[in-house]
Amino acid sequence: MVTHLLIITPLLCIVHLSHQVCVDVPSETEAVLGKSMKLTCIDCRKREEVKAKTLVEWSFMPDGSRNTTHIFKYEYDTPIRLDSAFERRICWNGSQDLQDLSIWIENVTYSDSGFYQCTVKRDFQFGYFRHNITNIKNITLTVIEKASGDPTALYSEIMMYVLLVFLTFWLLVEMVYCYRKISKSDEQAQDTATNYLAVPSEQKDTTAAPVTE
């Protein structure tokens, strides 16, 4: 197989993202035919790896094949395409701190379905001590004709309606409770006034507190 090396110019298909906090999130595994797809590869650095030299290699094994092809490499701050099958459809989408090592695939085709592997090699040196660390992220990508419904969004919408119904019911209960409490207070006040008016005037005078000089 003939391998083509196509060095991408700094102004072509390079997106630098600054991440203050590194969160290792998995990649999406479904791509829509004809759309763009981000293959996410996150490798959070440890404190001792901040000054490490980083090499990123992306490989691809199509569905129904056992042949693995190296399709992309990021080395010495330079993104390099390694396979002509993706031509100019593949773009670097990593961050400046090289913790996000993702790539974009433009105009996804059915032939892009398969197994992708992101290999991250960090080489750092403390004085005379040199150490290498290698991490591997695996992604199995499936290309579909149309976007499928998002179950998370559907679940969130259902929960929102349930919450609205619950809040409405709770508000009605509170209104009924307050209304009954106010009505009971009014009835008690009215009964007290009626009982007082029913007491003879002689008893009202005798119950009055004496006034001393």
Side-chain angles (χ1 to χ4, degrees):
M1 179 181 63
V2 179
T3 302
H4 299 272
L5 297 180
L6 301 174
I7 300 179
I8 306 175
T9 60
L11 298 179
L12 178 63
C13 292
I14 300 179
V15 180
H16 292 293
L17 303 175
S18 297
H19 292 274
Q20 296 180 355
V21 179
C22 180
V23 180
D24 191 353
V25 295
S27 177
E28 295 290 337
T29 57
E30 282 190 353
V32 180
L33 182 65
K35 302 294 183 179
S36 300
M37 173 64 185
K38 179 180 179 179
L39 295 178
T40 303
C41 178
I42 305 294
D43 184 64
C44 297
R45 287 187 175 189
K46 298 179 181 179
R47 181 175 300 178
E48 65 270 16
E49 298 174 3
V50 171
K51 296 182 179 180
K53 296 180 180 179
T54 302
L55 169 65
V56 185
E57 294 179 332
W58 279 89
S59 60
F60 171 57
M61 183 171 65
D63 283 343
S65 174
R66 294 186 178 182
N67 297 324
T68 300
T69 304
H70 293 282
I71 61 174
F72 195 87
K73 180 169 69 172
Y74 187 92
E75 186 178 16
Y76 303 116
D77 298 327
T78 303
I80 304 173
R81 298 188 184 97
L82 300 176
D83 188 79
S84 59
F86 288 89
E87 296 181 350
R88 295 186 177 275
R89 296 189 300 116
I90 192 170
C91 303
W92 171 252
N93 193 225
S95 61
Q96 291 181 346
D97 58 9
L98 296 181
Q99 297 191 98
D100 185 350
L101 311 160
S102 307
I103 58 175
W104 272 99
I105 300 179
E106 305 287 343
N107 191 23
V108 173
T109 65
Y110 283 121
S111 60
D112 296 335
S113 296
F115 179 78
Y116 292 82
Q117 190 171 79
C118 172
T119 303
V120 185
K121 299 179 181 179
R122 300 199 190 276
D123 182 7
F124 58 98
Q125 186 172 355
F126 295 100
Y128 296 101
F129 176 73
R130 186 173 180 178
H131 185 61
N132 296 314
I133 295 178
T134 300
N135 292 322
I136 297 176
K137 307 287 183 177
N138 297 322
I139 304 169
T140 300
L141 183 66
T142 302
V143 178
I144 58 178
E145 184 177 358
K146 295 182 180 179
S148 57
D150 187 0
T152 303
L154 179 61
Y155 177 77
S156 300
E157 186 175 358
I158 293 175
M159 290 301 298
M160 181 185 66
Y161 284 115
V162 171
L163 181 61
L164 288 175
V165 172
F166 173 77
L167 291 176
T168 303
F169 178 75
W170 177 79
L171 181 60
L172 290 174
V173 171
E174 287 293 321
M175 291 176 63
V176 172
Y177 173 77
C178 293
Y179 175 77
R180 289 183 175 179
K181 190 174 182 180
I182 294 174
S183 299
K184 187 176 181 180
S185 299
D186 292 342
E187 290 177 359
Q188 290 178 351
Q190 186 175 1
D191 292 342
T192 301
T194 302
N195 293 334
Y196 179 78
L197 293 175
V199 176
S201 59
E202 294 81 2
Q203 294 183 10
K204 294 178 183 179
D205 295 336
T206 56
T207 57
V211 178
T212 59
E213 295 183 357

